[in-house]
Amino acid sequence: MITRKLGAALAAGCTAVIKPPPETPFSALALAELATRAGVPDGVINVVPAFKNVIEVGKEMCENKTVKKVTFTGSTGVAKLLYGMAASTLKKVSIEAGGNAPFIVFDDANLEEAVEAAILCKFRGSGQTCVCANRIYVHSSVYADFASRLAERVAQFKIGNGLEEGTTHGPLIHARAAEKVTRHVEDAVAKGAQVLIGGKSIPDTSFFEPTVLSDVPHDAQINKEETFGPLASLCKFETEDEVVKLANSTDVGLAGYFFSRDVGRVWRVAERLEVGMVGANTGFLSQAPIPFGGVKESGIGREGGHGIEEYMNTKLIVFGGLGMQEK
């Protein structure tokens, strides 16, 4: 994630100050060390780890006039705070904030492919990516079949130490993340959802069982905010118009996915989804050259493809007095 930002900044001729997440600072520090060993001059790539004074560091980066650009990946709430602070100097800002990705399975979908894509899209990294499927909408005519197949695949997962053979999924980033998944499960079940597999955290750890919920009502909390955990939430729908409306009924719009073998529907739904990135008949989006980013409250600007433009300014230079003089 750092390299996607840093690569564009360096290519544009910028130096950079990196503030890594307080939970995972070592990869950023290792990157800076490797850059030094590779011959990158001192002062080009700088890392400022922060844990207790995160707010102060963020404020300094956003309000200091020496800093000409701020880029951030994280929650929408923090993104808004940084955006507000950066407004004090009207510096350039690019943001990749939260998502709440819909994953739609139409009645003409290839269910085998849709299930495998849902596994990849929902459960990689134990559901801790911003483009993970968060709301899985399945047409009523194929709902039971899809739910059964998905639960069967998830039942094969094994949580544990990633260095141990057979482990498929590790812990969440911290205990608070596991507590959020628990709240989403309990809220959905209280409103009528059924637990098909999983549904529990492992006491005194940040592990949470890979989980599939069926019959999740549309007013459940999981449909309103990003879970960021291994929880697949299944909701029924009847018509294309209905599911597109449901998919767009959120303030964020980072990624969206759907499965259909109707070419006309593929183009129609792809255009109607209010997201920055669409996966049609695939659950995988991220690639180095693509323009990665969202719309609405999921962010501003793009990374990857076209990303260098975020670190440059357009300047007009008009030359006069260069015409041929008459003799």
Side-chain angles (χ1 to χ4, degrees):
M1 193 169 294
I2 290 174
T3 56
R4 187 157 55 191
K5 300 174 183 294
L6 182 61
L10 296 178
C14 302
T15 57
V17 179
I18 302 167
K19 204 294 290 179
E23 299 89 352
T24 56
F26 295 147
S27 58
L29 292 168
L31 177 64
E33 172 62 22
L34 292 173
T36 299
R37 296 183 188 182
V40 176
D42 290 345
V44 174
I45 300 175
N46 310 275
V47 181
V48 181
F51 187 78
K52 293 183 179 180
N53 57 340
V54 172
I55 296 176
E56 290 78 6
V57 172
K59 181 178 175 65
E60 180 66 22
M61 286 183 165
C62 290
E63 297 184 352
N64 191 307
K65 292 184 178 181
T66 303
V67 178
K68 304 303 181 185
K69 161 69 189 283
V70 171
T71 177
F72 170 75
T73 294
S75 71
T76 298
V78 174
K80 290 180 178 180
L81 292 175
L82 296 175
Y83 196 26
M85 288 188 286
S88 65
T89 57
L90 291 182
K91 58 172 52 73
K92 293 192 71 170
V93 175
S94 59
I95 292 171
E96 193 267 282
N100 189 350
F103 186 103
I104 304 169
V105 182
F106 286 101
D107 54 350
D108 62 339
N110 182 315
L111 289 190
E112 182 177 355
E113 293 180 359
V115 168
E116 290 305 312
I119 293 293
L120 172 66
C121 187
K122 173 68 259 185
F123 291 102
R124 71 176 182 272
S126 293
Q128 298 173 105
T129 80
C130 54
V131 293
C132 274
N134 199 62
R135 300 167 290 152
I136 302 178
Y137 297 109
V138 186
H139 192 273
S140 61
S141 65
V142 295
Y143 184 89
D145 193 5
F146 180 89
S148 176
R149 294 188 189 205
L150 183 64
E152 183 179 349
R153 285 284 282 108
V154 173
Q156 299 171 18
F157 294 161
K158 178 185 177 183
I159 59 175
N161 189 325
L163 299 178
E164 295 179 357
E165 185 176 355
T167 297
T168 60
H169 291 76
L172 301 186
I173 186 66
H174 42 52
R176 295 194 311 277
E179 291 168 1
K180 183 177 184 180
V181 181
T182 298
R183 290 198 305 272
H184 280 189
V185 170
E186 291 177 347
D187 173 76
V189 170
K191 294 175 179 176
Q194 303 295 316
V195 179
L196 298 185
I197 192 75
K200 297 179 181 179
S201 62
I202 308 303
D204 302 319
T205 74
S206 59
F207 286 92
F208 198 96
E209 297 175 342
T211 300
V212 178
L213 300 182
S214 67
D215 301 320
V216 177
H218 298 308
D219 63 345
Q221 196 63 32
I222 188 175
N223 289 325
K224 299 177 182 178
E225 63 180 18
E226 191 174 31
T227 302
F228 230 68
L231 169 58
S233 165
L234 307 185
C235 306
K236 291 180 184 177
F237 75 90
E238 298 293 341
T239 68
E240 180 181 314
D241 286 342
E242 174 197 7
V243 76
V244 169
K245 183 177 180 180
L246 289 169
N248 291 338
S249 63
T250 176
D251 291 331
V252 294
L254 186 58
Y257 311 85
F258 68 93
F259 276 74
S260 173
R261 284 183 275 199
D262 182 327
V263 176
R265 172 181 282 160
V266 166
W267 283 106
R268 191 167 59 244
V269 173
E271 291 179 353
R272 295 179 67 189
L273 288 178
E274 296 173 356
V275 296
M277 300 173 289
V278 176
N281 294 316
T282 180
F284 186 76
L285 292 169
S286 298
Q287 303 172 50
I290 68 166
F292 190 98
V295 297
K296 301 198 288 191
E297 294 186 12
S298 281
I300 302 168
R302 292 294 183 270
E303 297 178 350
H306 311 290
I308 193 172
E309 297 173 5
E310 302 292 338
Y311 299 87
M312 301 175 69
N313 291 316
T314 300
K315 176 184 285 187
L316 170 66
I317 303 176
V318 178
F319 289 91
L322 298 180
M324 295 292 291
Q325 293 184 356
E326 295 184 5
K327 292 183 179 181

